[in-house]
mmCIF file of all heavy atoms in Angstrom:
data_model
loop_
_atom_site.group_PDB
_atom_site.id
_atom_site.type_symbol
_atom_site.label_atom_id
_atom_site.label_comp_id
_atom_site.label_asym_id
_atom_site.label_seq_id
_atom_site.Cartn_x
_atom_site.Cartn_y
_atom_site.Cartn_z
ATOM 1 N N GLY X 384 186.935 154.881 -92.562
ATOM 2 C CA GLY X 384 187.851 154.335 -93.551
ATOM 3 C C GLY X 384 187.272 154.249 -94.943
ATOM 4 O O GLY X 384 187.711 153.439 -95.756
ATOM 5 N N LEU X 385 186.281 155.073 -95.230
ATOM 6 C CA LEU X 385 185.608 155.000 -96.528
ATOM 7 C C LEU X 385 186.523 155.389 -97.692
ATOM 8 O O LEU X 385 186.390 154.892 -98.802
ATOM 9 C CB LEU X 385 184.369 155.902 -96.489
ATOM 10 C CG LEU X 385 183.493 156.011 -97.739
ATOM 11 C CD1 LEU X 385 183.083 154.648 -98.244
ATOM 12 C CD2 LEU X 385 182.262 156.839 -97.435
ATOM 13 N N TYR X 386 187.470 156.277 -97.425
ATOM 14 C CA TYR X 386 188.356 156.747 -98.487
ATOM 15 C C TYR X 386 189.094 155.591 -99.161
ATOM 16 O O TYR X 386 189.634 154.718 -98.476
ATOM 17 C CB TYR X 386 189.414 157.686 -97.918
ATOM 18 C CG TYR X 386 188.889 158.942 -97.307
ATOM 19 C CD1 TYR X 386 188.741 159.052 -95.929
ATOM 20 C CD2 TYR X 386 188.569 160.042 -98.093
ATOM 21 C CE1 TYR X 386 188.283 160.221 -95.347
ATOM 22 C CE2 TYR X 386 188.106 161.211 -97.514
ATOM 23 C CZ TYR X 386 187.965 161.298 -96.150
ATOM 24 O OH TYR X 386 187.513 162.452 -95.578
ATOM 25 N N ALA X 387 189.186 155.662 -100.492
ATOM 26 C CA ALA X 387 189.952 154.649 -101.221
ATOM 27 C C ALA X 387 191.425 154.710 -100.824
ATOM 28 O O ALA X 387 192.135 153.717 -100.849
ATOM 29 C CB ALA X 387 189.805 154.865 -102.726
ATOM 30 N N SER X 388 191.895 155.885 -100.442
ATOM 31 C CA SER X 388 193.308 156.048 -100.094
ATOM 32 C C SER X 388 193.612 155.695 -98.640
ATOM 33 O O SER X 388 194.692 155.994 -98.145
ATOM 34 C CB SER X 388 193.758 157.470 -100.382
ATOM 35 O OG SER X 388 193.589 157.770 -101.740
ATOM 36 N N VAL X 389 192.643 155.135 -97.946
ATOM 37 C CA VAL X 389 192.874 154.606 -96.605
ATOM 38 C C VAL X 389 192.967 153.098 -96.737
ATOM 39 O O VAL X 389 192.122 152.504 -97.401
ATOM 40 C CB VAL X 389 191.722 155.010 -95.662
ATOM 41 C CG1 VAL X 389 191.691 154.132 -94.418
ATOM 42 C CG2 VAL X 389 191.835 156.470 -95.273
ATOM 43 N N PRO X 390 193.971 152.424 -96.189
ATOM 44 C CA PRO X 390 195.064 152.943 -95.365
ATOM 45 C C PRO X 390 196.098 153.721 -96.166
ATOM 46 O O PRO X 390 196.382 153.379 -97.325
ATOM 47 C CB PRO X 390 195.704 151.661 -94.809
ATOM 48 C CG PRO X 390 195.349 150.600 -95.793
ATOM 49 C CD PRO X 390 194.004 150.970 -96.323
ATOM 50 N N GLY X 391 196.628 154.729 -95.532
ATOM 51 C CA GLY X 391 197.656 155.528 -96.184
ATOM 52 C C GLY X 391 198.996 154.810 -96.187
ATOM 53 O O GLY X 391 199.139 153.715 -95.645
ATOM 54 N N GLU X 392 199.952 155.435 -96.825
ATOM 55 C CA GLU X 392 201.295 154.848 -96.883
ATOM 56 C C GLU X 392 202.282 155.801 -96.258
ATOM 57 O O GLU X 392 202.079 157.014 -96.271
ATOM 58 C CB GLU X 392 201.700 154.641 -98.350
ATOM 59 C CG GLU X 392 201.056 153.436 -98.993
ATOM 60 C CD GLU X 392 201.309 153.434 -100.485
ATOM 61 O OE1 GLU X 392 202.210 154.173 -100.937
ATOM 62 O OE2 GLU X 392 200.577 152.718 -101.183
ATOM 63 N N TYR X 393 203.358 155.218 -95.737
ATOM 64 C CA TYR X 393 204.393 156.072 -95.155
ATOM 65 C C TYR X 393 205.737 155.372 -95.174
ATOM 66 O O TYR X 393 205.868 154.246 -94.707
ATOM 67 C CB TYR X 393 204.013 156.432 -93.719
ATOM 68 C CG TYR X 393 205.109 157.135 -92.947
ATOM 69 C CD1 TYR X 393 205.535 158.407 -93.309
ATOM 70 C CD2 TYR X 393 205.706 156.528 -91.852
ATOM 71 C CE1 TYR X 393 206.535 159.055 -92.607
ATOM 72 C CE2 TYR X 393 206.707 157.170 -91.133
ATOM 73 C CZ TYR X 393 207.111 158.435 -91.518
ATOM 74 O OH TYR X 393 208.089 159.075 -90.820
ATOM 75 N N THR X 394 206.708 156.027 -95.748
ATOM 76 C CA THR X 394 208.095 155.593 -95.638
ATOM 77 C C THR X 394 208.873 156.824 -95.216
ATOM 78 O O THR X 394 208.816 157.841 -95.914
ATOM 79 C CB THR X 394 208.643 155.113 -97.000
ATOM 80 O OG1 THR X 394 207.652 154.298 -97.615
ATOM 81 C CG2 THR X 394 209.924 154.338 -96.829
ATOM 82 N N PRO X 395 209.551 156.760 -94.080
ATOM 83 C CA PRO X 395 210.275 157.955 -93.658
ATOM 84 C C PRO X 395 211.326 158.350 -94.698
ATOM 85 O O PRO X 395 211.977 157.490 -95.289
ATOM 86 C CB PRO X 395 210.936 157.540 -92.334
ATOM 87 C CG PRO X 395 210.594 156.122 -92.096
ATOM 88 C CD PRO X 395 209.663 155.642 -93.146
ATOM 89 N N SER X 396 211.444 159.634 -94.948
ATOM 90 C CA SER X 396 212.457 160.098 -95.898
ATOM 91 C C SER X 396 213.814 160.141 -95.191
ATOM 92 O O SER X 396 213.893 160.011 -93.976
ATOM 93 C CB SER X 396 212.101 161.494 -96.403
ATOM 94 O OG SER X 396 212.324 162.442 -95.382
ATOM 95 N N TRP X 397 214.877 160.340 -95.937
ATOM 96 C CA TRP X 397 216.192 160.355 -95.296
ATOM 97 C C TRP X 397 216.309 161.534 -94.336
ATOM 98 O O TRP X 397 217.047 161.471 -93.358
ATOM 99 C CB TRP X 397 217.323 160.348 -96.333
ATOM 100 C CG TRP X 397 217.552 161.651 -97.065
ATOM 101 C CD1 TRP X 397 217.056 162.005 -98.278
ATOM 102 C CD2 TRP X 397 218.348 162.762 -96.618
ATOM 103 N NE1 TRP X 397 217.469 163.267 -98.615
ATOM 104 C CE2 TRP X 397 218.276 163.763 -97.620
ATOM 105 C CE3 TRP X 397 219.094 163.024 -95.473
ATOM 106 C CZ2 TRP X 397 218.916 164.994 -97.519
ATOM 107 C CZ3 TRP X 397 219.740 164.259 -95.379
ATOM 108 C CH2 TRP X 397 219.658 165.227 -96.384
ATOM 109 N N VAL X 398 215.545 162.573 -94.604
ATOM 110 C CA VAL X 398 215.571 163.718 -93.687
ATOM 111 C C VAL X 398 215.080 163.277 -92.303
ATOM 112 O O VAL X 398 215.678 163.591 -91.270
ATOM 113 C CB VAL X 398 214.689 164.857 -94.240
ATOM 114 C CG1 VAL X 398 214.544 165.978 -93.223
ATOM 115 C CG2 VAL X 398 215.259 165.395 -95.545
#
Side-chain angles (χ1 to χ4, degrees):
Chain X
L385 180 52
Y386 297 99
S388 300
V389 162
E392 283 170 16
Y393 171 66
T394 316
S396 73
W397 74 264
V398 172

